[in-house]
Amino acid sequence: MQFTFKTICKFFNYVMETSTIQQNLTVTVSMMTQKPHDDTLFVNRYIGALAVTFLLVAMGIYLVLCLFFYEYRVGMKNRQIGQLNRQRKHLIYDRVADWMRWLCLIASILALVRLCLEIVEIKLGQSSSTICDPIRKFKAVLLCAVITCLYLVLWLRQRMLYRTPAMLHLSNKIVQFFSRSVIIIMTIASVLTISLYVGSRGYQSSGSGCRLKWSSIWTKLPGLLQFIFTTLFQVILLGLFIDPLHKHRVAMKTVISKTSNKETDPIKRVTIATSVAVVSDAVTDMLVNILAIICSFADWRTRMAPFLVRQDKVVGTVKRKLIDNQRTRATNVPNYV
């Protein structure tokens, strides 16, 4: 199937405006408006849309609870390490790992709030004269915030990767340029896209749900910009993360004849997770996007089911300075990849 430029623009404008569930409901109500006798089909679609949304909300609640409990388990591990080392000068605090964990939790909470707003829009989008405009714009802000949190996780991880002793020699000027510039592109993209979306259009309720009432610019522009920028983020961040791991793997093979190739697993895992994230961006499935980011970490099973893991298996973010010898620190990649 061939896609024209116009079709791509139209699709990604839809990505900014609504979710698949609400779009299906809108189409259903429109059909009912044209064919009043088809009430049964509308009711079935309406109930189906609500059922799917409630299912996604339940999944979102599970994800938030798991990440909260994982946060609690990591905090317990950090306190255990701190109790064994009373003097703070003997400890190292991995704040980047903390921020990556917190950003995943924030993204999951925001995604859950947006899913709850889907229910509100489905139930009130055809009757309330004041709900459509604020709820559509707030949903767009939440979507942008979720995406920003997830890309900040990826950006922080690749930044720390190049600062480890094993990867420090791979950070040349070109790598440093892309590593620093991508955060600037992310900031500009987020502010520009959401400003255009919120400030250039208005929505109103109708018999077919919340519909676009007016727009002062080309309606497809915000969606097109989001598509361009998110694709650019994904390509740059994936390259910045995989390239040093691949080079480190090759270098270690030349030094050590028998190596376990620990870098191979994160390369495969991150590549698959990024591919899933690209697809989920196209269908505005935020939960899948969040899960893809979580599954790109080595301890993804612990994050997704922390209540099934023993406390001694949880990796804390407080470390003893003398826990590793110099050779290990110089050859091993970080444990959070």
Side-chain angles (χ1 to χ4, degrees), residues 181-242:
S181 62
V182 70
I183 190 65
I184 300 176
I185 299 174
M186 288 170 59
T187 304
I188 295 174
S190 298
V191 175
L192 179 62
T193 302
I194 201 62
S195 298
L196 286 175
Y197 187 86
V198 172
S200 66
R201 63 186 63 199
Y203 291 89
Q204 64 179 357
S205 61
S206 68
S208 56
C210 294
R211 299 180 67 91
L212 183 66
K213 181 180 180 181
W214 61 269
S215 178
S216 60
I217 61 171
W218 185 36
T219 57
K220 301 176 180 62
L221 183 59
L224 179 62
L225 289 177
Q226 185 196 23
F227 168 65
I228 294 174
F229 283 122
T230 53
T231 302
L232 185 61
F233 298 159
Q234 290 160 348
V235 172
I236 294 178
L237 291 172
L238 181 63
L240 288 172
F241 185 78
I242 289 181

Side-chain angles (χ1 to χ4, degrees), residues 139-154:
K139 281 169 56 181
V141 172
L142 289 175
L143 176 62
C144 186
V146 170
I147 293 175
T148 300
C149 288
L150 296 180
Y151 284 127
L152 281 175
V153 172
L154 300 179

Side-chain angles (χ1 to χ4, degrees), residues 278-296:
V278 171
V279 176
S280 66
D281 279 342
V283 296
T284 64
D285 195 331
M286 296 176 297
L287 288 182
V288 175
N289 208 332
I290 295 172
L291 290 174
I293 299 299
I294 294 175
C295 290
S296 68

Side-chain angles (χ1 to χ4, degrees), residues 25-35 42 207-209 211:
L25 181 61
T26 301
V27 173
T28 301
V29 180
S30 179
M31 291 172 58
M32 187 194 71
T33 305
Q34 298 174 4
K35 300 179 180 181
F42 165 71
S208 56
R211 299 180 67 91

Side-chain angles (χ1 to χ4, degrees), residues 43-319:
V43 172
N44 291 338
R45 295 270 183 96
Y46 180 82
I47 295 175
L50 281 177
V52 173
T53 306
F54 275 115
L55 177 61
L56 291 175
V57 168
M59 295 171 59
I61 292 174
Y62 173 81
L63 179 61
V64 170
L65 291 177
C66 282
L67 293 181
F68 264 120
F69 191 61
Y70 177 73
E71 180 72 24
Y72 170 74
R73 300 290 296 275
V74 172
M76 288 183 59
K77 188 69 173 182
N78 289 340
R79 286 191 292 272
Q80 290 176 2
I81 297 174
Q83 291 173 357
L84 296 175
N85 300 266
R86 295 292 183 178
Q87 296 182 354
R88 294 174 61 91
K89 64 180 181 180
H90 292 161
L91 299 176
I92 300 175
Y93 298 86
D94 191 350
R95 293 306 183 193
V96 173
D98 287 335
W99 272 107
M100 288 191 292
R101 194 176 66 252
W102 297 336
L103 286 169
C104 287
L105 178 58
I106 292 172
S108 66
I109 295 174
L110 295 178
L112 178 59
V113 174
R114 192 177 190 274
L115 287 171
C116 292
L117 291 178
E118 291 281 358
I119 299 176
V120 177
E121 184 177 354
I122 289 174
K123 294 183 70 66
L124 302 179
Q126 300 112 50
S127 58
S128 175
S129 59
T130 58
I131 194 67
C132 284
D133 191 64
I135 203 171
R136 277 290 181 93
K137 292 179 178 180
F138 189 46
K139 281 169 56 181
V141 172
L142 289 175
L143 176 62
C144 186
V146 170
I147 293 175
T148 300
C149 288
L150 296 180
Y151 284 127
L152 281 175
V153 172
L154 300 179
W155 181 76
L156 287 171
R157 187 164 60 173
Q158 61 84 25
R159 288 288 291 176
M160 283 303 300
L161 190 64
Y162 285 104
R163 294 182 180 181
T164 58
M167 305 290 180
L168 192 60
H169 65 286
L170 299 175
S171 181
N172 53 45
K173 292 183 178 180
I174 297 178
V175 170
Q176 292 176 9
F177 170 77
F178 280 106
S179 180
R180 293 171 181 172
S181 62
V182 70
I183 190 65
I184 300 176
I185 299 174
M186 288 170 59
T187 304
I188 295 174
S190 298
V191 175
L192 179 62
T193 302
I194 201 62
S195 298
L196 286 175
Y197 187 86
V198 172
S200 66
R201 63 186 63 199
Y203 291 89
Q204 64 179 357
S205 61
S206 68
S208 56
C210 294
R211 299 180 67 91
L212 183 66
K213 181 180 180 181
W214 61 269
S215 178
S216 60
I217 61 171
W218 185 36
T219 57
K220 301 176 180 62
L221 183 59
L224 179 62
L225 289 177
Q226 185 196 23
F227 168 65
I228 294 174
F229 283 122
T230 53
T231 302
L232 185 61
F233 298 159
Q234 290 160 348
V235 172
I236 294 178
L237 291 172
L238 181 63
L240 288 172
F241 185 78
I242 289 181
D243 183 66
L245 290 177
H246 174 69
K247 290 181 178 179
H248 180 70
R249 177 173 173 269
V250 173
M252 291 304 300
K253 276 190 172 183
T254 61
V255 176
I256 304 175
S257 58
K258 294 182 180 180
T259 177
S260 60
N261 293 334
K262 292 182 178 180
E263 294 77 20
T264 303
D265 288 339
I267 289 175
K268 293 180 180 178
R269 190 171 60 248
V270 173
T271 303
I272 295 174
T274 302
S275 301
V276 173
V278 171
V279 176
S280 66
D281 279 342
V283 296
T284 64
D285 195 331
M286 296 176 297
L287 288 182
V288 175
N289 208 332
I290 295 172
L291 290 174
I293 299 299
I294 294 175
C295 290
S296 68
F297 289 92
D299 62 344
W300 64 271
R301 294 179 181 86
T302 306
R303 296 172 187 247
M304 292 304 304
F307 44 83
L308 298 178
V309 179
R310 298 197 311 270
Q311 180 62 34
D312 59 344
K313 297 295 183 180
V314 178
V315 178
T317 55
V318 176
K319 305 290 184 182

